Amino acid sequence: MSISVADQLDLFDIGVKKGIREQASTTFIDNMRLPVHRWFRYSAGFSAEWVKETIKQYAKHDSRILDPFAGSGTTLVAANEMLFPSIGFEKQYFVHRIANIKLHYTLNIDHARRLYNEVIHSSILRNFNFDEQSDLLKKCYTPEMLNILISMRNTYIKIADNTFESEILWLAITAILRSTSHAGTAQWQYIQPNKKKKNVIDPRTAISQKFNEILRDIQLFNEKNITAQAAILNHDARESLQNYEESFDILITSPPYPNNYDYADATRFEMIFWDEIGRWGDLQTKVRNGLIRSCSQHSAAEKLNLDTILNNPLLIPIFDELTAVCKTLEQVRLEHGGKKTYHTMIAAYYLDLAKVFITLRKLMRENSVVCFVIGDSAPYGVYAPADLWLGKLAIAAGFTSWSFEKTRDRNTKWKNRKHRVPLKEGRLWIRG
């Protein structure tokens, strides 16, 4: 069923009309009802409606907004909606491309439909060899479904012309890969080939729905005179950026959590489909190397030395507490079959965030407002207080104060959990 622009105007304001659910404000789920935000589901995120309320509360007429961990662009799209200029950083190149597409609303509709028609009418490959396809794709599709998708992909590659219209078609294809697969998806977007789902959409139906959704949303933004005032840089938040020093008044972001979620793996399925990577092992060299070290897969691959990390001067503000936790993890890990390198991951994570705060202090103006959506962790049951440690590192970097606002409990469903340490999620508020 199609949705008219008038109906979408109501949808656009749904967060304001119904109120923002506090416990959901630090999750991405509500965004899937919102124009533009819903073009691609990226679980690592937070409520766009909460972002708009925060901007409304703190922004002045000339405020500029920063998101150093922009992900799929939630803060940047919300800033566009509020008509404030913004800049985002996103080092994961595949997610960076998705976010960049969501920040542009000027469209040549005739050109877009010409490209779309060529893709949707792609001829089925007569010489298609299912056995030669990626092992992951073979586990997630029937031969018939995969043939259609590969045909679409190959046609797209032939006609892609580096225009915005071409990019939204790329996003439409990318966004339907999971709905057209019988494989399940875990809560954090890990693909689960052994978990079959009942509802699978035909690729041509799926791309028609997604492509037309994108066109309707662009029309809606044009109806509301929303213009693109955001830019996203493929930049590492740990590295300085002299051209933007003292440029921002508000920062709203969510860094990776130190809880062993592999952000590089979140879009592995899509990257394999587009031949961006060939196998799981490519994630380290092509994706993880530029990311915050927040998972044991990353720290293990880098073969990190714990004492070298702990003795970095940037960790002096939390040295005693951090050392105690990491040394405990160094022993506890030996009692577990996986022997995961949580001890070096935790140390490297907080060193990376210490570098981030030093960079951000230079970018933020005096009396600026900074909000980090964060969650704490307890690998192997050893608790690491993210709010306290990140707050101390922010002060050491030159910020003036910090406070923590809890939004919800995490890890409360104990079934199949390896530990029962209460965890929380919330907002770390920092003043410039």
Side-chain angles (χ1 to χ4, degrees):
M1 180 180 69
S2 63
I3 302 176
S4 68
V5 171
D7 291 334
Q8 288 216 43
L9 288 172
D10 289 335
L11 180 64
F12 187 86
D13 295 323
I14 196 168
V16 176
K17 291 181 177 180
K18 293 189 175 181
I20 303 168
R21 295 184 297 123
E22 184 64 20
Q23 289 193 348
S25 65
T26 50
T27 69
F28 187 80
I29 189 168
D30 285 348
N31 294 354
M32 293 311 296
R33 301 179 299 169
L34 299 175
V36 179
H37 298 280
R38 63 185 173 185
W39 291 358
F40 183 85
R41 178 166 185 163
Y42 187 59
S43 290
F46 41 75
S47 164
E49 293 296 343
W50 166 74
V51 173
K52 290 196 290 184
E53 288 298 307
T54 302
I55 292 173
K56 186 183 300 182
Q57 181 176 358
Y58 293 105
K60 300 176 182 178
H61 73 281
D62 58 348
S63 291
R64 296 184 70 191
I65 298 160
L66 174 66
D67 184 348
F69 300 101
S72 62
T74 298
T75 293
L76 307 181
V77 175
N80 276 347
E81 294 173 40
M82 300 295 288
L83 305 181
F84 283 100
S86 64
I87 295 289
F89 307 153
E90 179 52 53
K91 193 61 179 175
Q92 212 278 40
Y93 71 91
F94 195 85
V95 178
H96 171 271
R97 183 177 183 180
I98 292 169
N100 191 52
I101 296 168
K102 292 165 68 177
L103 301 178
H104 298 85
Y105 318 118
T106 301
L107 179 72
N108 182 325
I109 187 70
D110 291 334
H111 185 47
R113 288 209 174 274
R114 279 196 298 270
L115 295 172
Y116 163 77
N117 286 332
E118 288 197 53
V119 165
I120 201 168
H121 295 303
S122 301
S123 298
I124 298 299
L125 295 171
R126 293 184 179 181
N127 60 345
F128 180 73
N129 191 327
F130 184 72
D131 293 333
E132 291 179 354
Q133 307 305 312
S134 159
D135 288 341
L136 180 59
L137 297 181
K138 287 188 294 185
K139 293 176 182 177
C140 296
Y141 294 105
T142 64
E144 294 76 18
M145 286 288 207
L146 189 55
N147 191 345
I148 296 172
L149 288 167
I150 295 296
S151 300
M152 287 182 175
R153 184 195 69 186
N154 292 351
T155 299
Y156 170 81
I157 292 171
K158 289 179 182 178
I159 66 174
D161 57 7
N162 296 318
T163 62
F164 172 59
E165 293 76 17
S166 175
E167 285 292 276
I168 64 170
L169 186 55
W170 175 89
L171 180 56
I173 296 171
T174 303
I176 68 168
L177 294 178
R178 303 206 180 207
S179 63
T180 56
S181 167
H182 58 251
T185 299
Q187 181 180 5
W188 281 91
Q189 294 302 94
Y190 292 143
I191 200 74
Q192 295 181 314
N194 296 326
K195 183 179 179 182
K196 301 293 179 69
K197 65 174 186 274
K198 296 180 180 179
N199 297 323
V200 178
I201 306 175
D202 175 79
R204 291 195 175 93
T205 300
I207 196 171
S208 174
Q209 293 172 349
K210 179 57 67 173
F211 181 77
N212 284 294
E213 175 186 271
I214 292 173
L215 296 190
R216 289 195 305 269
D217 288 354
I218 291 174
Q219 182 185 0
L220 171 65
F221 269 40
N222 289 328
E223 290 279 343
K224 294 182 73 69
N225 295 317
I226 295 172
T227 57
Q229 302 188 60
I232 185 164
L233 310 179
N234 188 220
H235 178 72
D236 186 338
R238 294 168 291 187
E239 299 176 358
S240 61
L241 205 62
Q242 294 182 352
N243 291 343
Y244 289 95
E245 289 187 0
E246 297 185 15
S247 294
F248 302 100
D249 308 279
I250 301 171
L251 185 154
I252 304 172
T253 196
S254 181
Y257 291 7
N259 63 359
N260 216 41
Y261 171 62
D262 187 357
Y263 288 84
D265 197 14
T267 55
R268 174 169 58 108
F269 184 56
E270 290 81 3
M271 288 188 287
I272 284 178
F273 175 81
W274 286 107
D275 286 333
E276 299 277 354
I277 60 173
R279 55 191 178 85
W280 189 87
D282 291 338
L283 292 176
Q284 181 62 29
T285 55
K286 294 188 176 182
V287 185
R288 282 197 211 102
N289 276 343
L291 305 183
I292 298 297
R293 293 171 290 187
S294 62
C295 65
S296 63
Q297 296 93 324
H298 196 161
S299 58
E302 291 193 358
K303 297 180 171 58
L304 302 175
N305 180 274
L306 179 59
D307 290 331
T308 299
I309 301 171
L310 291 173
N311 288 321
N312 190 298
L314 296 181
L315 291 176
I316 289 175
I318 61 173
F319 176 79
D320 290 339
E321 308 103 296
L322 180 63
T323 298
V325 166
C326 291
K327 291 295 184 180
T328 300
L329 283 170
E330 189 174 30
Q331 297 301 316
V332 171
R333 65 185 288 265
L334 301 177
E335 302 170 5
H336 295 261
K339 295 183 175 59
K340 293 184 178 180
T341 57
Y342 290 134
H343 60 309
T344 54
M345 180 270 281
I346 289 291
Y349 175 85
Y350 285 98
L351 176 58
D352 285 349
L353 267 293
K355 294 176 181 178
V356 169
F357 280 123
I358 289 172
T359 295
L360 295 182
R361 176 60 279 184
K362 297 175 183 177
L363 301 180
M364 303 306 295
R365 292 172 178 157
E366 187 177 357
N367 298 320
S368 56
V369 175
V370 173
C371 185
F372 271 50
V373 175
I374 61 171
D376 48 19
S377 59
Y380 286 146
V382 181
Y383 182 64
D387 53 332
L388 176 62
W389 290 357
L390 292 179
K392 288 184 176 182
L393 292 175
I395 298 299
F399 290 96
T400 59
S401 65
W402 69 272
S403 61
F404 180 72
E405 175 191 7
K406 175 182 169 183
T407 56
R408 68 184 183 108
D409 293 315
R410 297 170 59 231
N411 209 37
T412 55
K413 297 178 181 179
W414 305 119
K415 186 178 180 181
N416 297 326
R417 297 286 185 177
K418 294 181 179 180
H419 63 79
R420 298 193 175 190
V421 178
L423 300 177
K424 62 184 181 297
E425 187 173 54
R427 298 186 274 262
L428 181 71
W429 294 94
I430 301 167
R431 285 288 183 171

